[in-house]
Amino acid sequence: MLHLKKYFTEGLIQMAILLSLCGLRVDVGLEPYLPPSWHEMMLGPTSALTQTQFHNLRNRLGDGQDLHPKSVDLDGFFTTRRLLGWVRSLDRLQVPHAELETWLVQREPDPLPMVCPDLLERAPAGVERDRTAPPLEPRAGLGTLQEEEEEEEDKEDETHHARHNSGAVEEPGEEEEEEHLGRRTEGRRRLGGSYSHANNRELTQNEDQSSFSLQECLRLLEETFDVTEEQQLRDVGGRRGDLERQPPGRDPPLSHIAPTGNPSLDLELHWQDLLAIMDHENTDVDMMTSFDHIQNSRATETLQGVGSEALRQNCNDHDNTATEAEQEVLLMETPMQHGSLGQSGTPRQSEQEPALLPLTPSAELDDHSSALNSRDTLKNSNTNPSHSLPDHTHLLAQDPSEDFYVGLNADDSSSTLNINLLTQGLVDTMEGSPCSQYAPHPDNLPSFDANFHSRDLTPSSFSPSPEGNGMTQDPLTSISGFFLADEEEDVDDEDGLPSPLCGLLEDDVILDEMRLLDLALDEGFSPDMAAKLEEEGFLGSEIIEQENGRDVDHSGTGVAITEDQGQPRRHQQDGAVGADSDSGLSLDFSHSPASPCASEASSYSSSSTSSSSCMSAVGSPFSEDEDTEEGLEGSDMEGEMTIKQEELEEEEMGAVGGGYPEDVKKPFPPNYRDHKLYNGLPWQEHIGHDHTYNQPWLSASSPSHGKMSTKSFLQHDDAKPYHHSSSRHISETKMWSRDERRARTRKIPFSNELIVNLPVEEFNDLLANYQLTEEQLILVRDIRRRGKNKIAAQNCRKRKLDVLYDLEDNVSGLRRYRSRLLREKQEALRNLQEMKRELGMLYQDVFSRLRDEEGMPLNAMEYLLNFESDGSVSVASRKQGAALPVTKTSKKQRDKKK
DNA sequence: CGCTTCTGTCATCCC
DNA sequence: ACGGGATGACAGAAG
C-alpha cells in the first residue's frame, strides 16, 4: 500500500506540477465553490423529497419551475453545468497528454458528486436552504458563466496550490502554510494535495487560524499565484468580486466554521470530496446525512484533509483536464438529478440517454483506459489490480452507488475501478485510520463512520472476492497516500495495509477485520448483528461473485447495518423497504408534508446513481441479471425461506429460483444505505419511518433511464431489501413479499420496485417491452397502485404527524402567550390597586387639611372633592350630594390652609 | 386477552 | 379518462 500510495501521490503531484507549469489548469474541485443552492440543485432535492415529489421535480425540471422550494433553479443549474462543460472543454484542449487526461478522467465522473457533498457539507440542512437562495440571486444576473469562471479560477488556485504543495509545499514552513491553508481553505479548497498532509493535522489543531476572510484568501492567492492568477483574473475579469461573494454562499467555512469556527476549508472540501465519492458508491442519503453532520462537525476537517485532496484530484482533475469529450459529455449531460447525486456524468447520461450510457462510457472509457493505465503505471501497483480484476468492472457496472459505473461499465472498468477504489479507499482509510486528523467530530463522524462501516462490512461480506476488496482498499490507501504520502507516514500507518496490489487479499482480510471491529465497537456486535453481518456477507458474497461491482452496494448494506445499531431490525427493514421513506420524510418533511427534503433529494440522487450504475448493467438488459440471478435467487430463497417458510410455498420457491432473479440480484445499496442512514439519524426521530417505496432510486435515478432504470430496479429490488427484511423483519418481508410473491407467482419479469417507482411513461414502456398476460398486467398495475398508495400513506402519516407536532407547538406557544397575558393582567391589576391606594392616601391627606366654617376638620367620609373645569376645587357633602355642597373655593381653602 | 402502535391496503376524493 | 396524490377507514401484526 505504501508503495502504491507513494507512487500514486508522486505521480499525481508530478502531474499537477507539470500541468501547472504548462499553464494548464488542474481542477482540484470546482464543485466546492458552487453556491449551496447549486449544490442542492446538483444534489437534487434533499432527503425530504418523496418520490412523488421527486417525480414532479423530474417532470418539471424542464420547466425549471414548480421545483420544490428547496430546489432552486434547475434551469440555471443545467445551464451552468453546460457552460461549465464548455469552459472545461476549452481548458482541456490545453491538456497535452493522455496521462493527464486519464488522471483527470477519473475525476470526471465525480465532479458533480463532489460538488454535491461539498454543498451539503457547507450548508447544513437548515443553513443550506437559507444560503442557497441568496447566492443564486446575486449571481442570477451574472449567469452560470460566472460560476463556471469562478470554478475555473478555483481550479487554477488549486493548481497553484498543487505546485505549492508539490514543489515548495514546505517552504514557508508549516505554520505559514497552515495559515495559508486556512485562508485558502476559507477562500476555497485549493488544492491541495500536499499541503494538506502535514498541515491537516496542524490545521486541525490550529483551526482558528484557518478562519480568514475571503479577501485575505484572495490576497494570499494573488501573492502565491503569479501568472496563473493573473491569467485567471484576465480571463475572469471581474470575477474576483464574484469569488469574494461566492465564498459566503459557497464557502464551506460558513458551515464548517460553525462547528469549530474553524477555517480549514480545504480539509472540509477534501472531506466533502471524499464524501462525494463515498456517496457515489454509497448513496445519496449517506451523503446527506454525512454531510449534514459534517457541516456541523469539524472532524470533517480532519477527514477532509485526506479524502478531500484525493477527491479533488479525482473530481477536479477530471473536471479540468479530463478528457474533453468525456467531460463535455458529462458536464453537458449531467442531469440535475444526478448532479445532485454525486456522479453527474454517468447519471446524466443515463437520464438523457439510457441506451447511450453504455456506449458513451465505453468510448470514453476506452480512451481513458489507456490513460488509466498510464496512471496506473504512475501508481504502480495500485491501479493494476483493479484493472486486472474483471470482477471489479462488473462490480462497478453493477454498483448502483457508483456513478461512473454506467459509463464505465464495459470500457472503463479501470476507471470505474479507480474511482471505486478511491472512494472505498477513502472509506477504508477513514475507518482504518485512527488518525487524529480524522478524529471525527461527534456529529459528523457518526455518519461517516456509518458509511465507512457499511463499506467495511460490505468488503467483509464480499470477502469471497478479495480482489474487489483489495481494490477498494488499495485505491483508498493509494489515494490517501497520494495526498499524504510525501509527508505522512500516518496514512500508511493508518491504512495499516501497506500491502500493494499483490497483497490485496491480505488487505481485504485485514480491512474486513478492522471493519468488523469497528462495527462491533459501534454496534456492540450483538449476535443479531453478527448474524446480520453474516447474512449480508453471504448476500454480498453472492452478489459479489456475480457482480464484482457490488462492493458499493454491499457497503451500503454495511452502512445500514452500522447505523442499525440502535435499531437493527428497523434498519434492515428500512434497508429493504424504507430507503425511500427516510429520504422522503427526512429533513424538511416536518414542515411541508408535500415538500421534499434535501435528504430525499440526496436519496433520490443516490438512487439515481444506483440506477445509473444499474443502467450500465442494464445496458445489456438481462444478461447480467441472469448471471446474478442464480446466485441472488439463492439468497432470496434463503431469506424468504427463513422468513416465511409458511408462505414460501411452491410459488416463491419456483419463482425465486426461476424467475425473478432480477429483483433479487441487485439490491440497491445506495437506497438501503440512505434508508439506513436516515433511520439512524437522530433528527429523523419523529419522522422516523422508512417506506419501502419511497426509495427515490427509480424516480430519482433518471427520468430518462427507461431501460436502465428498469434493469437497475430489476437487479435491486428484491435482493437486498428482502434479504435484510427477510432475516429480521418478517412482517415487512411478508408485506413486501406479499406483492412480490404474487409477482413471482405470476412470473413477472421485473421487480416491484421498478413497477412502483418507474414513471408512467417508462412503466408503460416496460410493460410494452414485455409480453405480459392479462393477469400479469393486472397484477403489475395493482402492485404499482399499492406501492404508490403505500408511499402516499406513509407520507400522509408523516404529514399528519408533522401537523400534530406543529399543532402541539402552536398550543404550547398559545399557552405561553396566555400565561404572559395573565401575568400582564395581574400586573395591571396590581398597578390599579396601587393607584387606588395612593388616591385614597391623597384624599385623606387633602381632607386632613380642610376645615369647615367652624374650623373643624372635614370628614372625608362625609364630604367629597369636586374638581371644576376651571381648575377650582369645591367640597361637597356626601349627604346632600353634589347639589348641595358646602362650596368653598379652592382659594378659600388655600387661604384657610395657608 | 386487551390495548396501542405501526403499517399496508382499500375506497374515495380531488387535481 | 387516466394517473396519481391525499386521506379516512379498516385490518393485520407486533409489542
Side-chain angles (χ1 to χ4, degrees), chain A residues 853-881:
Chain A
E853 294 175 352
E854 296 174 354
M856 298 298 290
L858 295 176
N859 186 353
M861 301 301 292
E862 296 177 355
Y863 296 94
L864 292 174
L865 293 174
N866 288 333
F867 297 88
E868 302 298 339
S869 61
D870 60 355
S872 63
V873 176
S874 62
V875 176
S877 172
R878 291 176 183 271
K879 294 178 182 177
Q880 295 177 352

Side-chain angles (χ1 to χ4, degrees), chain A residues 645-659:
Chain A
Q645 293 175 347
E646 302 172 354
E647 296 175 353
L648 291 179
E649 296 176 354
E650 61 297 1
E651 294 177 352
E652 293 178 354
M653 297 300 289
V656 173

Side-chain angles (χ1 to χ4, degrees), chain A residues 220-237:
Chain A
L220 293 174
L221 292 174
E222 291 178 356
E223 294 176 358
T224 55
F225 308 111
D226 338 315
V227 179
T228 55
E229 181 107 41
E230 292 177 357
Q231 292 176 347
Q232 290 177 350
L233 292 175
R234 295 172 189 170
D235 296 345
V236 173

Side-chain angles (χ1 to χ4, degrees), chain A residues 466-695:
Chain A
E467 293 178 352
N469 294 342
M471 291 300 295
T472 58
Q473 294 174 348
D474 289 346
L476 292 176
T477 56
S478 66
I479 295 170
S480 61
F482 173 115
F483 297 99
L484 300 178
D486 295 345
E487 296 174 355
E488 296 181 358
E489 296 173 357
D490 296 349
V491 173
D492 296 355
D493 295 347
E494 292 176 356
D495 293 348
L497 298 176
S499 64
L501 299 177
C502 298
L504 292 175
L505 294 174
E506 294 177 354
D507 292 350
D508 292 342
V509 174
I510 296 169
L511 292 174
D512 292 347
E513 292 178 354
M514 292 181 68
R515 294 170 186 172
L516 292 174
L517 291 174
D518 292 341
L519 291 173
L521 293 173
D522 294 346
E523 297 179 354
F525 226 67
S526 62
D528 293 343
M529 293 299 294
K532 291 179 180 180
L533 293 174
E534 290 179 355
E535 290 178 354
E536 291 179 353
F538 171 78
L539 295 175
S541 65
E542 288 180 354
I543 295 167
I544 292 168
E545 290 176 355
Q546 294 176 348
E547 297 178 357
N548 295 340
R550 285 299 176 83
D551 293 348
V552 173
D553 296 353
H554 293 289
S555 66
T557 58
V559 172
I561 294 169
T562 56
E563 290 180 353
D564 289 347
Q565 298 170 348
Q567 299 174 345
R569 283 188 184 178
R570 191 105 188 162
H571 290 288
Q572 290 176 345
Q573 290 177 350
D574 294 350
V577 175
D580 18 336
S581 66
D582 288 331
S583 62
L585 295 181
S586 59
L587 297 177
D588 295 345
F589 132 85
S590 62
H591 293 283
S592 60
S595 66
C597 298
S599 63
E600 281 192 358
S602 65
S603 64
Y604 176 93
S605 62
S606 64
S607 65
S608 66
T609 56
S610 64
S611 66
S612 64
S613 63
C614 294
M615 293 296 288
S616 62
V618 172
S620 59
F622 298 93
S623 62
E624 288 181 359
D625 292 348
E626 292 177 354
D627 295 345
T628 56
E629 285 180 355
E630 295 177 353
L632 292 176
E633 291 176 355
S635 63
D636 288 351
M637 292 294 291
E638 290 180 355
E640 289 181 355
M641 292 297 288
T642 57
I643 297 169
K644 310 175 181 176
Q645 293 175 347
E646 302 172 354
E647 296 175 353
L648 291 179
E649 296 176 354
E650 61 297 1
E651 294 177 352
E652 293 178 354
M653 297 300 289
V656 173
Y660 310 84
E662 297 170 352
D663 296 353
V664 177
K665 290 179 182 177
K666 298 183 180 178
F668 272 30
N671 292 341
Y672 295 105
R673 282 187 248 153
D674 295 353
H675 295 292
K676 294 176 182 178
L677 291 175
Y678 284 102
N679 292 340
L681 297 179
W683 48 271
Q684 287 181 331
E685 291 175 351
H686 66 280
I687 295 171
H689 312 290
D690 275 358
H691 309 289
T692 38
Y693 290 101
N694 287 350
Q695 302 164 350

Side-chain angles (χ1 to χ4, degrees), chain A residues 181-252:
Chain A
L181 290 173
R183 296 175 186 176
R184 294 174 185 173
T185 54
E186 285 185 354
R188 302 191 158 205
R189 32 168 109 167
R190 295 212 151 169
L191 131 196
S194 57
Y195 79 161
S196 60
H197 323 304
N199 293 342
N200 288 343
R201 297 176 184 174
E202 292 180 357
L203 288 173
T204 56
Q205 295 174 350
N206 300 337
E207 290 176 353
D208 296 1
Q209 295 176 348
S210 63
S211 63
F212 294 88
S213 64
L214 296 176
Q215 294 178 352
E216 291 179 351
C217 294
L218 293 174
R219 292 179 202 164
L220 293 174
L221 292 174
E222 291 178 356
E223 294 176 358
T224 55
F225 308 111
D226 338 315
V227 179
T228 55
E229 181 107 41
E230 292 177 357
Q231 292 176 347
Q232 290 177 350
L233 292 175
R234 295 172 189 170
D235 296 345
V236 173
R239 277 286 242 46
R240 226 184 243 181
D242 297 347
L243 288 174
E244 292 178 354
R245 298 171 191 171
Q246 291 175 348
R250 296 177 180 177
D251 282 356

